[in-house]
Every structure is written in C-alpha cells, then in structure tokens.
Amino acid sequence: MAYHTLLYGFAFLPLCLVLYQLTPQKHRWKVLLAFSWLFFYMISRKLLIYLIGASIITHYTGVRLELLRTEEEREKESAAGKKKKEIRLRYQKKGRQILALGILLLLGVLVYLKYYNFFVRNISNVLDLSVLPFTLPEKKLLLPVGISFYSLEAVGYMADVYWGKIRAEESLGKTALFLGFFPQIMEGPICRFTDTSDTLYAGKSLEWDNLSEGYIRIFWGLFKKLIIADRLAVLVNQIFDNYMEYSGAVVAAGAVAYTVQLYMEFSGCMDIVVGSGRVFGIRLPENFRQPFCARSASEFWRRWHISLGVWFKTYIFYPVSVSGLVKKWNQFGRKHAGKYLTRLVTSALALFPVWLCNGLWHGARWSYIFYGMYYFTLILAGMAVEPVRDRFLGVLHIHPDSFGWRNVQRIKTWIIIFTGELFFRADGLRAGLHMFRSIFDGFDIRKFWDGTLLGLGLGRADFAAVIVGCIVVAVIGSMNENGIITRIRKARASETAKWCVMYGLLFAVLFFAAYGDGYQAVDLIYAGF
Amino acid sequence: MKKIVKRGILFLLILILLLAGCSVWAEKTVNSKRGIVNGRSRAFAEISAEKENTLDVLVMGDSESFTSISPMELWKQKGIAAYDCGQSGQKIQETYYMLKTALKTQTPKLVLLEANLMFRNPGRIENLQTAISEAMLYHFPVLRYHNIWKTLLDGYSPDQDEYKGFRIRNDIKSYNGDENYMKETKDVRKISTFVDGYMKQIIDICRDRNIPLMLYSAPSPVNYNTAKHNAVQNYADKHGLPYLDLNYKTKELGINWKEDSYDRGDHLNVFGAEKVTAYMSKYLSENYDLPDHRGEEAYKEWDRLAEMYRQEFLAVKGK
C-alpha cells in the first residue's frame, strides 16, 4: 500500500483522520503510532520487528545519554575548578561509548541487511581471482520498508541528544512515532527531531484549512506521479531495459526522461507525504526546492533530496571537518601548501565520505558508488576552477548574475544531472558506461521530433500529457521560486479558489493519469532504497 | 468540527455530482463510438453497447471462458444469443461488476460462469484495492473510460474484430503432456473467503432476477486439476448450482490436444472452442429454456456476423 494507491487515499488516511479526531487530544499520538505500525505491517509484515527494535534502541540510547548528562551536571555542581574538566572528559568518554553502541547496533542491522550480499559477492570475486578454494554464500535477506530512512533519523536523534542539541524524549511510544510516522516511513523526508516533535505529539484537532491545503498538496503529488512520472516510466523502461538496441539521441532522451520521471515521482511522493502530515496539522520539512533552477552541482544537491543532504552535512561533513585529521592538515597546509590548496584538500577530506555514503546509501551497487564519486569529483572540480572562472568572467566583463551567464550555468548543471541520472538508472556500471558512450554514436538531434520516440511505448497523446504536465509543473515551480505561491498563501486565498484548485487537480488526475488500460502500476522508486 | 463535516460532505457531494455528470457523457460517447475503448475496459464497453434485451446467455470468467465458447457457433447450431463477457485474468470483483453492468441493459435466461477465476487470490490487500477500485469504476464509468481522450487524439478503428466477445485464435501449439490429467484425489483447493463473498453476491443477484447460474470448467490440462474440480463441485453442491466440468469430457468432446490449443494446453484455440461449443449448444438447449432467434428481425445483425464468422473460420481452417 503505497501513498499513491486508492487504498491509502480512500481508506487508510480517512480512517486514521476520523479515529484521530475522535480520540482525546493527549492520546492522539497513539492513534498515529498504531496506524504507522499498521501501515508498516501491511507492507513489510513481520519485519515490523526491526522498526520496533530500532525504536527501542534509539529511545534507550537517548534516555541513557540524557541521564548521563544529568549525572554530569550534578557531579560538576559539587566539584571545583580543575576537577570539572576531569568530570566532563570522563562523561564525554562514557557518552561517546553509549552513542557508538547505539549507532553500531542500528547501522549494523542496516549494513547487514542492505550490504551483506554486496560485500560477499565482491569478496568472492576477489577470492576467485586469488584462486582460494572457498566462497562465501549469499543470503536471502528481506529489507524492511524505509530502513534506510528511519536508521538515519535514529542516528541523527541519538547524536543530537549526545551533543545536547535536544533533550531525549521520555516516552518510548513517542520516540517510536518519530521514527515510524507513516507518511514519511517509505521515502522520507529524513526528519530531525526538532523538525516534527512539536506538532507530531501535539494532537491538534483537525482544521479545515489544514485539511484543504493538505489535500491540495496530496492531489498535486498525484498529478506529478500519475500523469507525468508513470507515463515516462514506459519509455524509460523500454530504453534502459533494452539499452543495447539504442544509441545517440534516443539514449540521451532516455536520460532526460528518467531524470524528469525521478523528479516527478520523488517530489510528487514528497507532496503527498507533506500533505498527509499537513491534514493532521503536522509540519514535515520540504525535500525539494526547484532543483532544476540550480546553477551548479552543489546547489542542485541543496535543492534535491534536501533532507538527505542536510543529514550528511550535519552528521558527516561537520564532524569530519572538525576532526583531528582535518585540523592537522589545516595547520600543515597553511604553512606549506598555500590557502587555495589547503581549502581544496580540506573540502575533499570532508566531502569524500559524504559522497561515498551518499552513493552507498542508495544501494549496494558499484553504479551507486560511481554516482556518489561522480558528484564528489564534479563538486570538487567546481571549487578548483572557481578562481579561474572568476578571472575569465572579469576579463570578458560578464556579470556572474547576468541572465545569460545564469542560463549557461543552468544548462551546464542540467547536463551534469542528466548524465548522473543515466548512470544511476542504468542496470549496473558497465551498462551505464555503454549507454554513455553510445550517446555519441551517431547522435542525430532530428530523432527528437522525427517520430522515433513514438516507437518507444508512448503515443502522441501520452507525450502531449507529459509535455502539458511538465509545463504546469514548471510554471508552478517558477511561481514558487519567485515567492508568488507564498504571497498567495499569505494573502489567504478565497475558499472558492481553493475548491477550484482541489477539483481541478483531482479531475486532472482522474482523467489524465496513467492508470487503467495499457498502463502498469509503477512502484515508488525511492521506497526501494 | 461542524464546519469540517459540513464542508467535507459538500465537497464530496459536488465531486459525486461532477463524476456522475461526466460518467453520463462518457457512457454516451463509448456507446456511440464503438471501438473507442481499448484494453481491459473494452469488454465492459462492448457489453454496454449491445442492443437492449437481446442476449440470452452471458458467459463470464477469465480467459478460459472466452476461449472455450464461441457465441457464433451457438447461434449457428441452436440460434442461442450468447455473449462472452470474460476478460484475461478476470478477478471475481470484475465478474461481479461485469454482471451488474450487463444486467443494466440485458435480461438473460442463463449466466454461465467459468470456474477457474474462483482460485485467483492475489492476497488481502490486493483484493481490497481491487474491491475499492472496481466499485468506483462501476459507479463512475468515466473513470473506467477515462483514457478515451487518448483514442480521440491518437485515432481509433471502429472495425468489428470480435464475434460477441469471441476472437478467432487459430494458432496451434500442441499439448504433449499427460492427457489423463484429472487424477483421482481427495485434495480440495481452497476458495478464498473474498471470492466466496463475491460469489454469494453473484448468486443472490441471479436468484433475485430468476436467472439460472451455471458453473462450468473449460478443458485445460495446464490450468485445471482434480483438487480444483473437487472445490468447485463442493461449492456448487453447497449452493445448489449445476456444475459441468468439461475436463472429464475431453474424449466425448473430441478434443485433440495436438491441434486444439494455441498455447500448449492452457487455452483452446478456435478449433477446440468449436468442439466445446457444439457440445454446449446441445447441453444448454436440453437443460435450459433458450429460444431460437434465427430469422428474427431484431437479430438480423447476428446472421450477418455469423456469416462473417463462418467465412473467417473456413479461411483459417483451410490454412
């Protein structure tokens, strides 16, 4: 039961809303927890035990860390001067051990379930090469839904308690709800405790404004997913599953189509997620901010899957940046290597683990690791050429914010994104490299309009729906980028206008969505990561 | 809270009204432009577009149904006006709504249900999803036919390629397995409670309208076995329904598995269907009160269609 299904929209969510409202305010979070676990159970059945286990580990690690802090404060109060530092160091060590244990347990399960077979396969390949007479057997491991999302949330929560940024939640049930809240369990966003805790447990009564705006958001998500993404899935699958048959412009079209499909699908799902939270008055953080307006690869990642980027920045980039190794390099670099190189190497040291983890997080495949390294290289290269670029612009008297230069940068970023997604979707790194090379094999731009694309499973009407849908999304996106949507919201749109938008979106989905005859339901892509 | 309930109800009411209005338009369009609907929904569109009160036998079920009974052969033999309303992999929810759709315009004298679909059980959640979606598609046909805007844009061919739900499939792929596939066993395949629930509703609809409901099984060594037979027989006995299992009559029918299947014993081709239909025409006319409509003014189209069918059949037979 994914978010775009009838069962979710017409039975699960309404039933949860009704029961939520009928329950006394202070117990409403329990209804949300019960529905969250039911949702999880309906998808992953008895693997629910993993989520419950993760909740228990996270909760008690948090509680233990909190307790430690209280003890530390008490001891510090009665101690004097020098001793205080000693106490702090002792408790810091203890805290670090507890945090490490918690993280180890959570990430241990994630790594075991998600990466065991990958490692075994690669170790076996190495052993094969070295002609050693044994192989490691692969295991049939079932992955609970959302494990990659809730594990990161759990680690973030424990680290925040350890750093003293938040106080540990006292109720186990509430911690469990934070990790397992049903709208975000399948595809995120990866929330930080402070993002949701105030509204998640408040048990606010249902309000018409929340309901109507939440549902507008849900319908908008369905519009993107069902009208655009699911249609493009037909063409994308045809090209990527039979990549040996295609080359040149068709492969390029496949890369562009997949990028658009992924964006419409993932951001559409996020609209449904944010809308599903909104109907209860719960605010979930945004995961996308018009990523195709980005002028560089690094800006793209600040606008695309924002919550993952924020998580890596907070829990990997910053800790690595202030680690002993980086500090030592900084000292050494400033003396011997100059400002430019020191900064570049410092960035590389902190960015490398971020992008390695980003690639690996998406799955246990070399092509994902390549995907991470692809962005690492490009972002670093972007930093490296910055001074040269600035000088070049200066010489030619081009203002960095001029309309023309902005668009040159955007087009460059699009090419980077499309290429990245080509490798991301391809069936393995070898297939990705083959497809990339084949783009330059007899590239003929006329194939975009000479009817070739009509032979890939989509008819004229389908293309018309995709193009019109994309134009609508682009217009709304640009209104969002320029703050027009916010202004409309602040001006409190009239009730009639809201109803028109609701009916308009709903009927657009009902009439033009890719469901029924000739279409297969398409599973959520990111739910598989 | 009152505000929410009031507005919620108003929103739903307007939605229902809009959907109902669009549904009237969609049904009219579908009935006036035959061939505009493609894919699974085509069976619904075609049965809805049949002339009112002209069908006496409705054949329902999955692909085993519309590959085993040829309405044109029934017409040729006994002048029985039958229609195949089966769909590939038809689910019981679809059967239920297909029957209700057909009964909006038809008053049949017999409903024949091929029993293989009683064993289709994709799981609780899938069943629930299908139940919700089929109910919506039935009550708001605009949702079922929502893709017609595509055919209007891409173009469509109104040519008749079906003979009252039957298509001539003349490929031959032999079944070379054991011809004595209905082995003696006491095993009984489970019929899910979901299927049971919908079957009861189908039985009730037929009883309320005094339409006899008969279960049958088409010959299929790949799909059928004794455990399934036992389950259907028990079910039929429990609910007082007649059940005819043709898997036990393949010799009597004259089925030759070397040439009567188009996919190695899963389904019958037109030659196998002719044999089954010849037997069924006799069986039905002996056991049910089904009028012979041949030569009647209202059934002129049937005679024309039967002639087309004969020509096409002779052409493929001669190949």
Side-chain angles (χ1 to χ4, degrees):
Chain A
M1 183 185 55
Y3 304 122
H4 61 286
T5 58
L6 276 174
L7 193 59
Y8 179 80
F10 284 85
F12 188 87
L13 191 58
L15 191 67
C16 184
L17 279 167
V18 171
L19 285 177
Y20 174 88
Q21 183 60 31
L22 293 177
T23 308
Q25 187 173 7
K26 68 172 183 175
H27 297 298
R28 281 182 180 148
W29 67 268
K30 292 177 190 165
V31 175
L32 294 179
L33 178 63
F35 270 80
S36 296
W37 282 0
L38 174 69
F39 183 84
F40 196 97
Y41 179 78
M42 285 168 84
I43 298 169
S44 286
R45 304 276 151 178
K46 56 187 178 189
L47 300 186
L48 174 62
I49 199 79
Y50 284 106
L51 177 64
I52 296 175
S55 305
I56 293 171
I57 293 169
T58 309
H59 178 72
Y60 286 106
T61 307
V63 168
R64 189 74 196 95
L65 288 168
E66 189 69 50
L67 224 75
L68 219 59
R69 193 161 42 228
T70 323
E71 279 171 26
E72 185 187 344
E73 292 302 321
R74 209 180 302 141
E75 263 191 58
K76 269 185 186 167
E77 265 173 30
S78 53
K82 248 186 175 180
K83 261 209 154 179
K84 275 190 180 170
K85 196 184 170 193
E86 208 177 276
I87 294 167
R88 187 171 59 85
L89 287 174
R90 182 154 44 88
Y91 275 96
Q92 205 175 33
K93 196 179 165 196
K94 264 191 198 173
R96 208 178 290 149
Q97 283 169 347
I98 292 167
L99 177 70
L101 182 69
I103 293 177
L104 205 70
L105 283 171
L106 274 161
L107 293 190
V109 175
L110 175 69
V111 169
Y112 175 69
L113 293 179
K114 203 167 166 178
Y115 305 101
Y116 174 84
N117 283 333
F118 176 70
F119 288 127
V120 161
R121 215 172 302 134
N122 284 292
I123 290 169
S124 295
N125 287 345
V126 173
L127 290 178
D128 271 356
L129 288 177
S130 62
V131 214
L132 283 175
F134 62 91
T135 50
L136 288 162
E138 289 191 26
K139 288 183 184 174
K140 225 180 169 180
L141 297 168
L142 293 173
L143 215 56
V145 67
I147 187 168
S148 309
F149 295 93
Y150 73 69
S151 297
L152 294 198
E153 277 189 352
V155 170
Y157 169 83
M158 294 186 297
D160 282 352
V161 175
Y162 169 76
W163 285 329
K165 285 185 184 170
I166 54 165
R167 290 186 65 84
E169 173 53 54
E170 286 171 15
S171 149
L172 170 61
K174 285 184 177 174
T175 314
L177 176 60
F178 163 66
L179 291 187
F181 184 42
F182 68 84
Q184 51 166 108
I185 191 73
M186 276 182 104
E187 293 206 343
I190 301 158
C191 298
R192 298 182 65 183
F193 191 65
T194 42
D195 288 335
T196 51
S197 56
D198 53 339
T199 50
L200 194 59
Y201 310 134
K204 258 177 85 174
S205 282
L206 300 183
E207 284 171 22
W208 177 254
D209 280 349
N210 284 337
L211 279 169
S212 55
E213 281 173 29
Y215 267 100
I216 286 178
R217 202 64 202 271
I218 292 174
F219 297 153
W220 178 235
L222 290 172
F223 180 98
K224 288 178 177 173
K225 157 87 177 135
L226 297 174
I227 297 180
I228 308 170
D230 285 4
R231 265 202 178 82
L232 285 173
V234 178
L235 175 124
V236 168
N237 292 346
Q238 176 61 30
I239 296 174
F240 280 83
D241 295 349
N242 308 287
Y243 65 92
M244 294 300 263
E245 294 170 24
Y246 302 108
S247 63
V250 176
V251 175
V256 175
Y258 177 63
T259 310
V260 177
Q261 180 202 352
L262 191 64
Y263 171 66
M264 295 298 173
E265 217 223 66
F266 194 14
S267 75
C269 178
M270 282 308 116
D271 290 321
I272 303 175
V273 166
V274 172
S276 296
R278 182 71 196 271
V279 291
F280 295 99
I282 296 164
R283 286 190 186 272
L284 295 171
E286 295 292 342
N287 227 359
F288 288 90
R289 216 180 57 246
Q290 293 76 251
F292 296 104
C293 291
R295 289 160 62 183
S296 67
S298 57
E299 190 191 351
F300 169 72
W301 277 97
R302 289 195 297 274
R303 291 166 169 268
W304 171 284
H305 205 175
I306 297 169
S307 64
L308 184 71
V310 168
W311 195 93
F312 283 134
K313 198 163 94 182
T314 316
Y315 303 106
I316 296 184
F317 183 82
Y318 287 150
V320 174
S321 299
V322 296
S323 67
L325 175 75
V326 175
K327 273 183 189 161
K328 269 181 202 159
W329 159 254
N330 264 331
Q331 282 166 359
F332 175 84
R334 250 179 260 144
K335 276 184 203 157
H336 305 284
K339 210 173 153 192
Y340 171 75
L341 202 63
T342 309
R343 204 183 68 118
L344 204 63
V345 175
T346 306
S347 303
L349 286 171
L351 283 174
F352 180 78
V354 165
W355 288 103
L356 180 68
C357 291
N358 184 308
L360 270 174
W361 178 87
H362 286 93
R365 271 167 57 165
W366 282 107
S367 56
Y368 292 145
I369 296 173
F370 177 84
Y371 179 72
M373 289 301 103
Y374 169 81
Y375 275 106
F376 168 70
T377 314
L378 283 170
I379 288 171
L380 209 62
M383 289 170 139
V385 299
E386 240 171 54
V388 181
R389 184 201 61 196
D390 291 345
R391 208 169 302 150
F392 167 79
L393 289 177
V395 168
L396 295 180
H397 302 291
I398 297 171
H399 194 276
D401 283 326
S402 66
F403 178 77
W405 181 244
R406 268 191 345 236
N407 285 320
V408 167
Q409 283 185 306
R410 274 195 190 122
I411 290 166
K412 172 209 73 181
T413 311
W414 284 9
I415 293 170
I416 290 173
I417 301 167
F418 298 149
T419 311
E421 297 308 341
L422 170 84
F423 283 100
F424 188 71
R425 170 64 177 81
D427 186 19
L429 187 52
R430 217 167 282 164
L433 288 167
H434 175 94
M435 288 180 82
F436 182 69
R437 274 196 301 262
S438 76
I439 292 178
F440 308 100
D441 180 11
F443 186 92
D444 181 359
I445 200 153
R446 280 171 301 185
K447 293 224 161 145
F448 285 124
W449 59 80
D450 70 357
T452 309
L453 299 182
L454 288 172
L456 299 167
L458 293 184
R460 278 175 215 285
D462 286 317
F463 274 109
V466 168
I467 291 166
V468 173
C470 284
I471 291 171
V472 174
V473 173
V475 168
I476 299 292
S478 108
M479 283 167 78
N480 237 334
E481 184 70 8
N482 298 318
I484 299 172
I485 300 276
T486 320
R487 280 205 294 279
I488 294 174
R489 216 178 265 153
K490 273 190 186 151
R492 296 189 68 83
S494 75
E495 201 58 24
T496 325
K498 261 193 208 170
W499 284 54
C500 288
V501 173
M502 271 197 277
Y503 283 123
L505 283 174
L506 187 55
F507 274 84
V509 171
L510 291 175
F511 290 166
F512 301 113
Y515 69 94
D517 299 323
Y519 298 105
Q520 297 276 338
V522 186
D523 289 338
L524 293 173
I525 299 172
Y526 261 75
F529 293 143
Chain B
M1 196 57 212
K2 261 188 190 167
K3 185 177 154 189
I4 292 178
V5 176
K6 262 190 202 167
R7 289 189 179 182
I9 291 172
L10 185 65
F11 181 82
L12 288 175
L13 274 177
I14 295 175
L15 179 66
I16 288 168
L17 277 175
L18 288 171
L19 281 175
C22 294
S23 292
V24 172
W25 167 81
E27 277 196 314
K28 263 190 190 159
T29 312
V30 165
N31 287 347
S32 62
K33 292 183 172 30
R34 286 189 87 158
I36 196 175
V37 181
N38 289 319
R40 286 186 79 69
S41 304
R42 192 185 177 103
F44 279 89
E46 291 292 310
I47 189 82
S48 305
E50 278 296 303
K51 211 188 264 179
E52 275 185 37
N53 298 321
T54 50
L55 304 175
D56 290 332
V57 179
L58 296 178
V59 186
M60 334 257 328
D62 60 15
S63 52
E64 297 297 336
S65 72
F66 61 76
T67 52
S68 59
I69 289 182
S70 162
M72 287 301 108
E73 182 63 16
L74 273 179
W75 178 258
K76 190 181 98 188
Q77 299 265 352
K78 301 283 180 190
I80 297 170
Y83 195 98
D84 283 345
C85 345
Q87 294 164 288
S88 296
Q90 190 174 71
K91 296 163 201 143
I92 191 77
Q93 298 92 327
E94 288 176 306
T95 314
Y96 170 69
Y97 288 111
M98 176 66 84
L99 179 62
K100 287 183 68 145
T101 305
L103 293 181
K104 276 184 186 173
T105 51
Q106 304 295 335
T107 47
K109 295 180 171 58
L110 173 67
V111 170
L112 256 180
L113 178 61
E114 212 289 335
N116 192 50
L117 60 70
M118 291 169 72
F119 301 100
R120 190 159 284 117
N121 184 17
R124 235 176 298 170
I125 292 176
E126 189 67 26
N127 273 328
L128 204 61
Q129 299 243 53
T130 314
I132 298 175
S133 63
E134 284 306 315
M136 287 180 60
L137 296 180
Y138 173 73
H139 293 290
F140 303 111
V142 67
L143 302 180
R144 188 186 298 288
Y145 303 132
H146 77 278
N147 278 328
I148 55 175
W149 67 271
K150 280 179 59 184
T151 359
L152 288 170
L153 218 75
D154 282 341
Y156 65 100
S157 118
D159 297 343
Q160 188 117 27
D161 56 351
E162 283 183 353
Y163 298 99
K164 303 292 173 191
F166 183 87
R167 276 181 196 208
I168 292 184
R169 296 169 178 83
N170 62 317
D171 283 353
I172 297 175
K173 276 196 181 129
S174 307
Y175 165 68
N176 297 316
D178 186 359
E179 293 197 5
N180 191 19
Y181 56 93
M182 296 300 278
K183 305 276 186 218
E184 190 73 30
T185 177
K186 289 217 163 41
D187 290 351
V188 179
R189 254 306 261 282
K190 195 173 157 30
I191 292 172
S192 75
T193 44
F194 220 87
V195 168
D196 182 40
Y198 274 93
M199 277 302 292
K200 279 183 183 144
Q201 295 193 63
I202 291 172
I203 294 169
D204 286 347
I205 290 177
C206 290
R207 286 217 172 113
D208 288 348
R209 296 175 183 237
N210 279 327
I211 306 167
L213 171 66
M214 178 184 153
L215 305 179
Y216 86 103
S217 291
S220 171
V222 168
N223 243 305
Y224 224 66
N225 53 50
T226 314
K228 280 186 176 181
H229 168 88
N230 293 343
V232 179
Q233 190 63 63
N234 290 349
Y235 196 87
D237 292 345
K238 191 174 155 197
H239 293 91
L241 300 172
Y243 174 45
L244 177 67
D245 189 347
L246 297 170
N247 288 287
Y248 285 108
K249 296 188 183 293
T250 49
K251 288 218 167 77
E252 207 177 316
L253 294 165
I255 297 287
N256 175 358
W257 287 116
K258 294 273 175 273
E259 52 191 48
D260 288 343
S261 169
Y262 70 82
D263 53 4
R264 305 190 195 287
D266 194 350
H267 301 95
L268 296 172
N269 56 22
V270 66
F271 311 112
E274 284 274 311
K275 291 173 185 170
V276 168
T277 313
Y279 179 89
M280 287 300 274
S281 66
K282 228 163 126 197
Y283 182 91
L284 295 180
S285 57
E286 278 167 13
N287 291 283
Y288 295 93
D289 188 17
L290 300 169
D292 182 348
H293 290 295
R294 281 174 295 188
E296 288 179 22
E297 188 60 29
Y299 289 85
K300 263 196 167 163
E301 185 225 344
W302 287 69
D303 287 325
R304 185 188 60 80
L305 209 58
E307 183 49 30
M308 270 173 65
Y309 175 80
R310 197 180 70 86
Q311 298 286 350
E312 197 181 334
F313 179 69
L314 286 177
V316 298
K317 202 179 176 187
K319 269 185 191 172

